[in-house]
């Protein structure tokens, strides 16, 4: 190892303190710098609704909202989200009432094993906020980053259409 590399390595702290608003509650964490947001949520905050599918940004099972934008939490370092507002599937219901997307997924039988469902619902919540989808084809396109190994896609699209008030 060169002297320069050794110096840089020496400067990386063992742990970094961060503060997040998670589902409306402030949470503080002290994390090793390479902790993904997904692992911070699941392993440090015990919010296991968000799922780890591929851990490589390919399946969407880990989708959460960061300051209202949907992201694959397995691809984001938790320290990059210091100060952000994070919404996971646990934060979507309010006052004991399901989020309209959660109700729509039930109404349309839009899950089978349910493993992809938290990511699908968080991604759909982001899609609604983005306001770019006007019909089923656009929903399919804009949800294409969320894979479902059970193949519940027609029901998922129907559920999102219901939540959007589309025919
Ligand atoms: S677990 Fe993050 S995209 Fe698959
Ligand atoms: S419901 Fe099983 S992976 Fe989607």
């Amino acid at each position: 190892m060169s002297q320069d590399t050794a110096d840089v390595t020496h400067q990386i702290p063992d742990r970094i303190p961060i503060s997040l608003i998670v589902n409306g509650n402030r949470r503080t964490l002290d994390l090793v710098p390479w902790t993904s947001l997904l692992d911070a949520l699941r392993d440090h905050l015990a919010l296991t609704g968000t799922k780890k599918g591929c851990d490589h940004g390919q399946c969407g099972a880990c989708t959460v909202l960061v300051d209202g934008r949907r992201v694959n939490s397995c691809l984001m370092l938790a320290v990059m989200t210091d100060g952000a507002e994070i919404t996971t599937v646990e934060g979507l219901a309010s006052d004991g009432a399901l989020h309209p997307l959660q109700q729509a997924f039930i109404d349309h039988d839009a899950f089978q094993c349910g493993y992809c469902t938290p990511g699908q619902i968080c991604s759909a919540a982001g899609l609604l906020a983005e306001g770019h989808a006007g019909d089923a084809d656009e929903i399919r396109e804009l949800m294409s980053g969320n894979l479902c190994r059970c193949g519940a896609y027609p029901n998922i699209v129907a559920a999102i259409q219901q939540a959007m008030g589309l025919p």
Side-chain angles (χ1 to χ4, degrees), residues 7 38 43 54 68 72-73 82 85 131 137:
D7 287 347
L38 175 60
D43 298 342
C54 63
N72 288 339
S73 60
D82 187 21
E85 288 196 34
D137 281 346

Side-chain angles (χ1 to χ4, degrees), residues 81-135:
T81 64
D82 187 21
E85 288 196 34
I86 314 290
T87 303
T88 71
V89 71
E90 290 93 342
L92 291 178
S94 63
D95 296 330
L98 294 178
H99 186 284
L101 279 164
Q102 292 172 311
Q103 186 61 55
F105 268 62
I106 294 171
D107 294 344
H108 289 273
D109 204 14
F111 52 91
Q112 293 177 40
C113 78
Y115 197 83
C116 74
T117 311
Q120 299 278 3
I121 290 177
C122 282
S123 191
L127 173 128
L128 262 59
E130 291 158 17
H132 298 314
D135 58 29

Side-chain angles (χ1 to χ4, degrees), residues 52-55 57-62 72 74:
K52 182 179 284 190
C54 63
D55 210 18
Q58 295 172 347
C59 74
C62 65
N72 288 339
C74 70

